[in-house]
């Protein structure tokens, strides 16, 4: 697996599609801060996006899409100066999967959100700017346009399994949006995601993710990127923010943490699978970084899971 695929899988990435928005004339809708990562795509027309804490509004044209990676309120408008209405009442009047505002049907948006596991903020979202925009005019955006068009078709036609297909396509779209943003604006990302824009660092990251249990050395990782040991160490530190072996330790502990939360395997087996020679070696590293032993972490995770478990729902 490559690092991006690895992290998205570790975070249990899920998409949740929302009601379409059809608007016309002069209109504006104000949205509360979303949970997870919000996305919208303009299927017809154009509109203005304003996000709390982001100085410049963004014009969105047909085919453009964007991600909001922070829990911030935002507004969509036909243009500057239009007084917005709250989104709640607009979407409460949804008919046939479409909410309407304004006068007419000049603008059509489809959207939803992505939800992630508990580690998403540090592992992924903090590495991204508050708004990630992919313009339709980008020569590399063809796959994103195809995914959006297919999502639109699935939701409109309502064929068997259409919601599942559309949600899976939305995750595909997310991967391509992140790829395109990294290619277009690598300076706006940080951490391991920024490292993917450097060929030598990306080769080292891919090697560690492909085989995290391997006893990697900096020299061996440098050979994968066809650079010297000192060059890799400097470039890795500059882009990712820590050295290659420090990153490897962190990634191994992320994998171990996930296994411990899931309750899968003994601590000794997990230690072996993620690259530690013994249970005690994993315990020492885990306690140093996480602050508790693997067994205490597992017990605390199990307790949180039991206490947060919702009561069974009555059948509809």
């Amino acid at each position: 697996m490559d690092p991006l695929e690895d992290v998205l899988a570790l975070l249990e990435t899920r998409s949740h599609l929302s009601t379409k928005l059809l608007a016309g004339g002069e209109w504006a809708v104000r949205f509360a801060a979303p949970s997870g990562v919000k996305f919208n795509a303009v299927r017809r027309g154009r509109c203005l996006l304003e996000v709390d804490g982001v100085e410049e509004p963004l014009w969105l044209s047909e085919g453009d899409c964007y991600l909001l990676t922070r829990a911030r309120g935002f507004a969509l408008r036909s243009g500057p100066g239009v007084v917005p209405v709250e989104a709640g009442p607009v979407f409460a009047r949804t008919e046939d999967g479409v909410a309407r505002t304004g006068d007419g049907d000049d603008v059509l948006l489809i959207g939803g959100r992505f939800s992630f596991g508990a580690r998403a903020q540090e592992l992924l979202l903090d590495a991204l700017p508050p708004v990630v925009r992919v313009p339709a005019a980008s020569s590399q955006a063809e796959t994103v346009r195809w995914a959006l068009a297919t999502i639109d078709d699935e939701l409109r036609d309502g064929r068997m399994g259409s919601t599942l297909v559309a949600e899976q396509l939305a995750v595909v779209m997310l991967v391509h949006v992140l790829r395109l943003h990294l290619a277009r604006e690598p300076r706006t990302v940080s951490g391991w995601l920024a490292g993917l824009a450097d060929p030598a660092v990306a080769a080292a990251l891919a090697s560690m993710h492909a085989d995290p249990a391997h006893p990697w050395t900096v020299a061996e990782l440098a050979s994968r990127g066809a650079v010297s040991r000192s060059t890799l160490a400097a470039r890795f530190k500059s882009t990712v923010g820590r050295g290659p072996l420090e990153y490897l330790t962190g990634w191994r502990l992320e994998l171990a943490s996930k296994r411990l939360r899931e309750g899968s395997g003994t601590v000794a087996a997990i230690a072996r699978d993620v690259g530690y020679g013994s249970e005690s070696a994993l315990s020492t590293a885990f306690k140093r970084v996480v602050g508790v032993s693997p067994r205490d972490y597992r017990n605390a995770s199990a307790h949180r899971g039991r206490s947060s478990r919702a009561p069974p729902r009555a059948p509809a």
Side-chain angles (χ1 to χ4, degrees), residues 183-307:
R184 291 177 62 245
E185 301 184 56
R187 295 182 182 277
T188 65
V189 299
S190 59
W192 65 270
L193 199 56
L196 298 181
D198 182 311
V201 174
L205 285 167
S207 297
M208 289 186 280
H209 279 254
D211 190 1
H214 182 78
W216 294 104
T217 65
V218 177
E220 190 176 7
L221 292 169
S223 70
R224 297 298 179 95
V227 295
S228 70
R229 181 181 182 279
S230 59
T231 297
L232 176 67
R235 284 162 62 171
F236 206 103
K237 179 77 172 178
S238 174
T239 55
V240 178
R242 48 183 168 168
L245 300 187
E246 187 183 359
Y247 176 87
L248 178 61
T249 295
W251 181 245
R252 285 171 170 171
L253 294 181
E254 290 291 350
L255 296 175
S257 298
K258 183 174 188 292
R259 292 275 300 275
L260 290 165
R261 290 193 300 270
E262 293 171 344
S264 59
T266 65
V267 176
I270 293 171
R272 182 178 62 251
D273 291 346
V274 301
Y276 286 91
S278 66
E279 180 178 336
S280 63
L282 172 62
S283 296
T284 299
F286 201 93
K287 192 165 186 177
R288 184 182 72 250
V289 175
V290 182
V292 297
S293 71
R295 293 184 186 278
D296 288 344
Y297 181 88
R298 169 175 274 173
N299 291 337
S301 297
H303 177 74
R304 284 195 300 270
R306 286 193 297 269
S307 63

Side-chain angles (χ1 to χ4, degrees), residues 158-195:
R159 292 170 290 184
M160 183 171 58
S162 59
T163 299
L164 177 61
V165 171
E167 289 178 348
Q168 294 300 314
L169 283 168
V171 175
V172 171
M173 184 201 75
L174 172 64
V175 173
H176 282 281
V177 166
L178 294 177
R179 282 179 181 171
L180 288 168
H181 181 73
L182 185 63
R184 291 177 62 245
E185 301 184 56
R187 295 182 182 277
T188 65
V189 299
S190 59
W192 65 270
L193 199 56

Side-chain angles (χ1 to χ4, degrees), residues 11-303:
L11 295 178
E12 300 173 340
T13 307
R14 301 285 185 273
S15 68
H16 313 269
L17 297 174
S18 60
T19 300
K20 297 179 183 179
L21 178 63
L22 193 62
E26 289 194 344
W27 61 274
V29 181
R30 172 77 186 176
F31 296 81
S35 60
V37 170
K38 175 68 180 174
F39 75 92
N40 273 120
V42 182
R43 298 296 298 151
R44 181 168 69 242
R46 67 195 299 260
C47 62
L48 191 65
L49 168 66
E50 297 174 345
V51 180
D52 293 352
V54 176
E55 187 173 342
E56 293 294 327
L58 293 174
W59 276 106
L60 303 170
S61 300
E62 184 173 321
D64 291 356
C65 66
Y66 68 88
L67 305 176
L68 300 182
T69 65
R70 307 284 191 274
R72 299 182 181 183
F74 66 100
L76 293 168
R77 306 173 184 270
S78 58
V82 184
V83 178
V85 298
E86 293 299 321
V90 172
F91 283 83
R93 299 191 298 270
T94 294
E95 294 183 6
D96 299 324
V98 181
R100 291 172 170 81
T101 192
D103 182 20
D105 57 2
D106 305 329
V107 181
L108 174 65
L109 295 104
I110 63 173
R113 64 183 178 87
F114 297 102
S115 62
F116 305 93
R119 295 285 292 148
Q121 195 65 47
E122 184 175 340
L123 284 179
L124 178 63
L125 303 183
D126 283 349
L128 293 165
V131 183
V132 174
R133 174 177 171 263
V134 175
S138 169
S139 61
Q140 298 174 302
E142 183 177 345
T143 303
V144 175
R145 290 194 294 271
W146 169 82
L148 290 170
T150 308
I151 289 169
D152 198 9
D153 290 343
E154 290 287 341
L155 295 178
R156 183 179 60 249
D157 296 343
R159 292 170 290 184
M160 183 171 58
S162 59
T163 299
L164 177 61
V165 171
E167 289 178 348
Q168 294 300 314
L169 283 168
V171 175
V172 171
M173 184 201 75
L174 172 64
V175 173
H176 282 281
V177 166
L178 294 177
R179 282 179 181 171
L180 288 168
H181 181 73
L182 185 63
R184 291 177 62 245
E185 301 184 56
R187 295 182 182 277
T188 65
V189 299
S190 59
W192 65 270
L193 199 56
L196 298 181
D198 182 311
V201 174
L205 285 167
S207 297
M208 289 186 280
H209 279 254
D211 190 1
H214 182 78
W216 294 104
T217 65
V218 177
E220 190 176 7
L221 292 169
S223 70
R224 297 298 179 95
V227 295
S228 70
R229 181 181 182 279
S230 59
T231 297
L232 176 67
R235 284 162 62 171
F236 206 103
K237 179 77 172 178
S238 174
T239 55
V240 178
R242 48 183 168 168
L245 300 187
E246 187 183 359
Y247 176 87
L248 178 61
T249 295
W251 181 245
R252 285 171 170 171
L253 294 181
E254 290 291 350
L255 296 175
S257 298
K258 183 174 188 292
R259 292 275 300 275
L260 290 165
R261 290 193 300 270
E262 293 171 344
S264 59
T266 65
V267 176
I270 293 171
R272 182 178 62 251
D273 291 346
V274 301
Y276 286 91
S278 66
E279 180 178 336
S280 63
L282 172 62
S283 296
T284 299
F286 201 93
K287 192 165 186 177
R288 184 182 72 250
V289 175
V290 182
V292 297
S293 71
R295 293 184 186 278
D296 288 344
Y297 181 88
R298 169 175 274 173
N299 291 337
S301 297
H303 177 74

